Amino acid sequence: MSTTTLEIALLVLIAVATLAVCFGGIVLAYRVEQDTSDKAARARRTTKEL
């Protein structure tokens, strides 16, 4: 059974989409983490100033 170009293209598309979703999730989690740590640092700074 030979795989057609269309089937290969579809598999590649699915693989790329999966990777994109995973990478997007990682980037988003990293951004949120950075944001929360920035907020915590800012809060610590303001409490120190007070």
Side-chain angles (χ1 to χ4, degrees):
M1 198 176 108
S2 63
T3 52
T4 59
T5 314
L6 189 67
E7 284 174 326
I8 293 167
L10 199 63
L11 284 172
V12 168
L13 192 70
I14 290 166
V16 168
T18 308
L19 283 173
V21 168
C22 289
F23 187 69
I26 291 164
V27 168
L28 194 68
Y30 179 74
R31 272 200 192 147
V32 168
E33 178 121 2
Q34 291 294 99
D35 195 39
T36 46
S37 62
D38 283 354
K39 279 189 186 137
R42 220 174 286 135
R44 274 197 297 275
R45 241 179 281 135
T46 47
T47 46
K48 238 181 248 172
E49 284 166 12
L50 295 171

